[in-house]
Amino acid sequence: MASRSADSPRTGNGSPSVDAVSLAIIEQLQEDGRRPYAAIGKAVGLSEAAVRQRVQKLLDQGVMQIVAVTDPLTVGFRRQAMVGINVEGDTDPVAEALSAMPEVEYIVITAGSFDLMVEVVCEDDDQLLDVIQKRIRTLPGVRSTESFVYLKLKKQTYMWGTR
C-alpha cells in the first residue's frame, strides 16, 4: 500500500480531500480554464505561486483535468448516443474493453435497469451502428444493449464540481 504524505490528506473512501481554497480554485478554472494564476490568486487570497502549486497538486491527484470541451456537432461528430448495456457476470472486463474504444467517451457502472451506461460519439449513423453491432454487442459478457440516440443537446455543463 502506498504511503501518503501529510500534505495529501484523504477522505474516508481513499479520495484526496479538497479544502475550501482548492474548491474555490476549481470554481475559478471551471468558469474559465485559461484564467491566469495571478487572477485566481487574487480571487481566492493566495499568491500566484501558491495557486500554481495547488493546481498542479489537484492535477497530479486526479481531482481535476483542464481540457478543451468541444461541441461534437461542430467538429464533425453528428451522432451521439447513450447505450445501456446488460452484462452477464463481472462488469469490469466489459468496462475495460469499452474504455479502449475511441468512440466511447463516458462509462459508468450503474445500479438499475442497466449494468453499464456508455456515451458514444460518432461521425454518423453508420459508424454508430458499427460500434454497437460489431464492437459492443460482440464483447464477451455483453447480454443486451439499448440505445438512446441524442436528437438535440440542450445542456452540457461541467460546473457541478464545487456545489
Side-chain angles (χ1 to χ4, degrees):
M1 176 149 85
S3 65
R4 50 178 201 247
S5 64
D7 65 337
S8 297
R10 301 271 172 176
T11 63
N13 66 8
S15 300
S17 65
V18 181
D19 65 13
V21 175
S22 291
L23 287 174
I25 291 169
I26 292 168
E27 193 171 76
Q28 291 284 311
L29 288 168
Q30 284 180 319
E31 289 174 11
D32 180 358
R34 297 179 354 152
R35 185 166 287 155
Y37 291 151
I40 295 170
K42 189 177 239 184
V44 302
L46 292 177
S47 69
E48 178 180 351
V51 170
R52 184 181 326 284
Q53 287 177 334
R54 281 194 182 236
V55 167
Q56 190 58 55
K57 184 176 174 182
L58 292 166
L59 293 168
D60 291 345
Q61 291 177 331
V63 172
M64 68 174 192
Q65 300 173 353
I66 300 172
V67 298
V69 178
T70 62
D71 175 353
L73 288 173
T74 64
V75 292
F77 297 101
R78 306 222 179 289
R79 180 55 67 216
Q80 293 176 267
M82 186 65 68
V83 181
I85 302 171
N86 286 306
V87 174
E88 190 74 43
D90 188 0
T91 58
D92 285 337
V94 176
E96 286 299 316
L98 291 165
S99 69
M101 296 180 188
E103 298 87 356
V104 174
E105 296 295 323
Y106 184 78
I107 303 168
V108 291
I109 297 172
T110 64
S113 299
F114 300 103
D115 299 310
L116 299 167
M117 292 294 290
V118 177
E119 185 175 42
V120 179
V121 179
C122 296
E123 293 175 15
D124 55 31
D125 287 336
D126 289 336
Q127 184 184 18
L128 177 62
L129 184 62
D130 183 71
V131 168
I132 293 170
Q133 281 191 331
K134 296 182 181 159
R135 297 182 40 220
I136 294 176
R137 288 183 179 160
T138 61
L139 288 173
V142 171
R143 185 174 43 202
S144 64
T145 66
E146 184 173 344
S147 302
F148 305 90
V149 175
Y150 299 4
L151 298 177
K152 188 176 213 178
L153 184 63
K154 293 297 281 185
K155 179 179 180 180
Q156 182 177 19
T157 181
Y158 296 94
M159 300 296 289
W160 48 268
T162 63
R163 291 188 268 174

